Amino acid sequence: MVETHTKAYAAKLDTADELKAFRNEFHLKNECIYMDGNSLGLMSKRAEQTVYDLMASWKEHAIDGWTDGNQPWYYLSESLGEKMSGLVGAKKEEVIVTGSTTVNLHQLVSTFYEPEGKRTKILADSLNFPSDIYALKTQLKLQGYDDSHLIQVDSEDGHMLDEEAIINAMTEDIALIVLPSVLYRSGQILDMEKLTRAAHERGIKIGFDLCHSIGAIPHQLHDWEVDFAFWCTYKHLNGGPGSVAALYVNEKHFGTAPGLAGWFSSNKEQQFDMEHTLTPAEHAGAFQIGTPHVLSAAPLIGALELFHEAGIEKIRSKSLQLTAYMIELIEHELKDFGFVICNPVNEKQRGGHIYLEHPEAARICKALKMKQVIPDFRKPSGIRLAPVALYNSFEDVYECVQRLKQIMEDKVYEQFSNEREVVS
């Protein structure tokens, strides 16, 4: 047996892992291997504690909690934005924690989609998460346009996008571009710097959905001059189900009136003047709409501490090692069982998860759960496995592939129906 294909080798990699201590920061179930952190990250002990802390501040301070205590609620969105800014390569004023992913997309498109003359169309892609497309179609409808004004770049293989094809689609009738940073199925990383430069050369504003990249890969949004971005916080950031999302707006757009104004769009020094004419905040805070969801933001206080201590560069380095090791084991151990690896092998293009296709994918995912491996199924035949740098080990990767091999050898999956569950 090749040394790298042994449990002893995986254990040796774990011994040398600089981030191994962070595994103890999370609530892990015995014998269970969690490989679904790209859908919902695990709870950290610190995130749990900061929820209790915020509850205590409500209990102790009541309404004075808006301005008193260790984490005054009135400024929580800004303070969390500052803590998150390093993960996206932004200035602290360019990031605000607010809303949900899709609400933030609506806000940003309503602000930056300015159809004029022949520039009336929005450019997107055919592989993006459905929610983004729903929002873009809605925004077009609100402007009096139909779905024909949404241009979606196709994929030749159904898994990855050709960046040159995207650039070629940046024609004179495009008013705005919205793309994913990492494709949610294949895990392909798009070259955001290259695409932003190409868009700006053609006079087009561009934004990115960072849901599958934030907390997994480094970004330099400010230096790349990306116009805007938005993301959730419950995947790689481990903020918990329904945790408050975030957005970024490049400082060159400060002073732009929000397309969807609301109470917390206000300049905080004037918010309680109660005027009926909005004076927007002079930073990304202007793109808030409603009152901060304090208790849903609370886990992020503790969760983000771990990212600051670990460092996104080290997280990315370990993530690449984990996914490379998983690819190697899959190619060796599962070569006779009909799996196809559909994500990029090239490290520069590979995000934080592995995407496999198999005709029996739904049944295999159910069998994996029975074997206490938590995967993610994607219709019609996709299996996503996400070894997360902060809490997954190399032994997790090794054992995951071994359990999958046993399922295939013994045909354990045949006892299940080949249909997705309600949530997958």
Side-chain angles (χ1 to χ4, degrees):
M1 178 179 287
V2 179
E3 182 196 5
T4 57
H5 304 153
T6 65
K7 189 172 184 177
Y9 180 78
K12 185 161 65 174
L13 292 176
D14 284 329
T15 300
D17 175 20
E18 286 186 271
L19 301 181
K20 60 180 179 290
F22 287 95
R23 182 176 172 89
N24 297 323
E25 294 276 359
F26 290 84
H27 290 287
L28 299 165
K29 291 183 179 179
N30 291 334
E31 305 302 321
C32 182
I33 300 172
Y34 194 75
M35 288 285 167
D36 203 7
N38 58 332
S39 283
L40 179 67
L42 290 179
M43 180 193 288
S44 68
K45 297 169 186 176
R46 293 197 215 180
E48 179 182 30
Q49 184 58 51
T50 53
V51 172
Y52 289 129
D53 292 344
L54 259 292
M55 292 283 283
S57 74
W58 176 22
K59 181 178 180 179
E60 178 181 353
H61 298 290
I63 197 169
D64 289 334
W66 285 105
T67 53
D68 293 346
N70 294 328
Q71 299 285 344
W73 312 333
Y74 193 53
Y75 307 99
L76 185 59
S77 294
E78 287 80 7
S79 66
L80 286 173
E82 180 177 355
K83 291 177 181 178
M84 207 177 289
S85 61
L87 297 178
V88 295
K91 294 185 176 182
K92 64 181 183 179
E93 299 87 0
E94 294 176 320
V95 179
I96 195 79
V97 171
T98 185
S100 69
T101 304
T102 308
V103 168
N104 289 343
L105 175 56
H106 276 294
Q107 170 68 293
L108 294 163
V109 175
S110 70
T111 302
F112 295 112
Y113 174 53
E114 301 173 299
E116 183 179 4
K118 65 188 302 184
R119 286 195 184 275
T120 59
K121 296 181 179 179
I122 297 176
L123 180 63
D125 68 279
S126 63
L127 300 181
N128 205 342
F129 198 78
S131 181
D132 287 6
I133 303 304
Y134 302 159
L136 295 177
K137 288 182 177 181
T138 300
Q139 288 294 324
L140 285 168
K141 184 177 180 181
L142 290 171
Q143 292 276 10
Y145 299 108
D146 59 26
D147 291 356
S148 68
H149 282 71
L150 178 64
I151 307 302
Q152 292 180 261
V153 178
D154 282 327
S155 165
E156 290 187 1
D157 62 3
H159 302 300
M160 288 183 266
L161 295 171
D162 180 351
E163 288 155 353
E164 291 304 320
I166 296 173
I167 292 171
N168 290 337
M170 296 179 186
T171 53
E172 293 180 355
D173 56 355
I174 301 299
L176 187 70
I177 303 170
V178 178
L179 296 167
S181 56
V182 168
L183 303 190
Y184 79 97
R185 286 181 181 269
S186 69
Q188 177 193 2
I189 301 173
L190 294 183
D191 189 333
M192 290 173 272
E193 181 179 17
K194 176 181 178 180
L195 293 169
T196 300
R197 184 169 58 249
H200 289 171
E201 287 171 354
R202 292 157 177 80
I204 309 170
K205 292 184 179 71
I206 186 169
F208 292 93
D209 179 339
L210 308 186
C211 284
H212 285 83
S213 63
I214 180 74
I217 69 171
H219 308 71
Q220 295 298 330
L221 297 185
H222 178 83
D223 290 346
W224 297 337
E225 298 187 347
V226 171
D227 291 293
F228 63 88
F230 55 99
W231 57 90
C232 65
T233 59
Y234 51 79
K235 300 181 189 295
H236 292 283
L237 289 185
N238 312 309
S243 57
V244 181
L247 61 83
Y248 151 91
V249 174
N250 189 281
E251 66 177 359
K252 65 187 174 185
H253 298 302
F254 290 175
T256 301
L260 301 173
W263 175 234
F264 265 78
S265 305
S266 303
N267 181 315
K268 280 187 158 45
E269 300 302 316
Q270 296 175 261
Q271 185 168 348
F272 279 88
D273 290 348
M274 312 304 281
E275 297 292 338
H276 280 197
T277 299
L278 173 70
T279 301
E282 297 175 352
H283 47 69
F287 300 92
Q288 296 179 91
I289 299 174
T291 303
H293 299 157
V294 174
L295 297 181
S296 296
L300 286 169
I301 301 169
L304 290 173
E305 288 178 2
L306 301 176
F307 285 87
H308 280 274
E309 292 174 17
I312 190 61
E313 296 292 344
K314 289 183 179 179
I315 289 171
R316 174 60 172 162
S317 177
K318 181 181 174 183
S319 174
L320 285 173
Q321 293 177 60
L322 287 166
T323 52
Y325 187 51
M326 180 172 276
I327 289 171
E328 179 182 348
L329 291 175
I330 289 169
E331 289 177 338
H332 180 264
E333 300 287 352
L334 304 177
K335 61 180 182 296
D336 298 326
F337 298 108
F339 289 97
V340 178
I341 299 174
C342 297
N343 56 290
V345 176
N346 179 344
E347 290 191 348
K348 186 177 180 182
Q349 293 182 298
R350 188 171 73 245
H353 68 266
I354 298 300
Y355 182 65
L356 304 176
E357 285 205 334
H358 193 284
E360 305 286 354
R363 302 167 89 180
I364 292 168
C365 283
K366 292 174 184 177
L368 280 168
K369 285 187 176 182
M370 186 183 75
K371 294 288 186 182
Q372 297 197 69
V373 175
I374 309 301
D376 182 50
F377 171 70
R378 281 291 172 258
K379 188 179 180 181
S381 56
I383 302 169
R384 297 193 307 176
L385 298 169
V388 174
L390 286 179
Y391 52 77
N392 283 123
S393 65
F394 290 91
E395 282 199 58
D396 283 345
V397 170
Y398 175 84
E399 186 61 31
C400 172
V401 175
Q402 292 303 313
R403 293 184 194 183
L404 181 51
K405 181 180 180 181
Q406 183 186 13
I407 286 167
M408 302 310 295
E409 286 179 337
D410 298 342
K411 297 186 178 180
V412 176
Y413 60 88
E414 290 185 348
Q415 65 186 278
F416 300 99
S417 65
N418 199 28
E419 298 175 355
R420 69 174 176 84
E421 297 176 342
V422 175
V423 177
S424 63

